[in-house]
Amino acid sequence: MNISNRIKRSLAGLLLVSAVAVPAAYAGAAPGALNGSSPASAVPASPSTSSVIAAWTPEQVDAYAEAAMKRLHVPGLAVGIVHEGEIAYMQGYGTAGPGAGPMTPQTPLAIGSTTKSFTALAVMQLVEAGKIDPDAPVTDYLPDFRLADADASARITAADLLHQTSGLSTYDGIAFLAKGDGTLSGHIRSLQSVSQKHAAGAVYEYSNLNYNILGAIVERVSGESYGDYVEEKILRPLGMNESFASPERAAAALAERSDRRPPSGHQLLFGLTVPTRLMEHSGTVPSGYLVSTAEDMSKYLIMQMEGDSPASSSGGGRLLSPEGFKRMHEPAADMRDGSFYGMGWVNSGSYIWHNGTTENTYSEMRIHDGYGLFILANSSDPLIVSYAGILPGLDDIVNGRTPSLNSLPDFAKLYMIADGIVLAIVLLFLWSVRSLFRWKKAFRPAAWKFVLNLVLLLACNVAFPLLILHFVSGLAPWEVVVTWAPGIGWGLIALPWLLLATGGLKLLLMLLALAGKNRTPKPSLPANPPLEKAEIGA
């Protein structure tokens, strides 16, 4: 649950209006695609877990993971599988980034909106401690909290935030992805200009803002920073020692014990995979910027499935009661697609799950038929290629089914289409520029030619770029588009403006040509010579 699905749906409309019809881009891969190089690092199942994986083999997981990476151009992937209270298998594939070594189950990366289940767990701990009433207004815990309509926002409860029914919009949650620097309290104060799209409690609409507000409640009620609380009350008791409450904390911890460069995420630049660093998101960590590993998330899934943890077995007490976990997982808000949102989890009937996307990483977790599954990729492609098909393939394997690579997007074909559309816009712009240097011919002020040029100008230099800008602004604010989708994002914003600019110049030249025609004096006709009188013969 993140911005990727919304962006992809909107992009589909943009592709349709920006180009002629194109063939379907999800053609299947050849059966021989399930081949690949050796894993970067392996954590084989120990003899004590061999019975756990009797229905499947690590080799099946390895072959599928490597084939999926190749098809989707993912540079690094880590997988964790748990069953019957144990880590059945975990593995890393590919590279963790330039100078960072191989991708392993211990490689730490931001997990995106998968963070939300941790924030919900922190809130539920404080509920069971009697410090938070989920049905109480947010203002009981954050007296200064207000949105654009103070009276309406005062009716938002903690439960509304947990279930994504506060009335805050998906778009506003996306907009603040580019405003994540600063403190969490400062972020909450900046919401005073934000309006609710729906009345509190009326309808489900996913918004990152809900979980940032919950993080602020955790801070106020516990008396600790959100990061300190999550690390001390959740991560460390679970033995999640390679997980941290922010990318900055993770980088600092890694620098103390390793000379290697920290792992890097990757973004797509017109289909080329490029290593990049996360923007600063210190003020929006509760909605999507905890850092973890495949191994640590496997421990987390065991706790979610068993309702127990290493803390309880060692006398440290449970992190949450079984009833508390059940409340987190049970359906609460109808998402209108057959699924229900719980508390940081999506309940799809036979399984529960959540995923997360940052500008350059992707994660997803699922609990289904007694298995817990987790993947962590060090790349992200919110606009063109979805990674959401990877984990269902692993689910097929552990449940004795054969996964199909055909369900994964065809990276090459999709980028051929996307890059082709951008190239077409570039060529249109160059054609517009070329016509500026030929304006005396192009804008010859004959009436029919003037009308033809005006129609072409309005279609190519006004309507078309405005249509693109309209769709892009519907995806997200421009600063988010260009940081989450560099290359194509810049193209979808810069090229329309350049087309508008050249269109304005062409219109000016057309008007000058027309005005010049009107000022040109008409040439006078020569006077007819007087007819000579015919001589009259004698």
Side-chain angles (χ1 to χ4, degrees), residues 3 6 147-148 164 166-180 187 190-198 205-210 212-213 284 287 473-477 479-480:
I3 73 169
R6 174 184 170 88
L147 302 176
Q164 303 278 11
S166 69
L168 289 165
S169 72
T170 300
Y171 187 92
D172 284 325
I174 293 172
F176 276 87
L177 290 171
K179 306 171 185 178
H187 169 64
S190 71
L191 302 181
Q192 294 185 4
S193 61
V194 175
S195 298
Q196 289 167 266
K197 187 176 177 181
H198 314 282
E205 181 162 349
Y206 187 91
S207 180
N208 290 321
L209 299 182
N210 291 324
N212 291 328
I213 298 167
T284 55
S287 65
S473 64
L475 304 178
E479 61 267 33
V480 176

Side-chain angles (χ1 to χ4, degrees), residues 213-235:
I213 298 167
L214 287 169
I217 292 175
V218 170
E219 284 196 342
R220 183 67 63 90
V221 171
S222 69
E224 302 180 66
S225 71
Y226 172 84
D228 287 345
Y229 181 92
V230 169
E231 288 190 4
E232 295 172 9
K233 303 299 192 302
I234 300 175
L235 301 181

Side-chain angles (χ1 to χ4, degrees), residues 109-124:
L109 292 168
I111 59 174
S113 288
T114 306
T115 296
K116 289 181 172 65
S117 70
F118 287 86
T119 301
L121 175 57
V123 171
M124 289 304 294

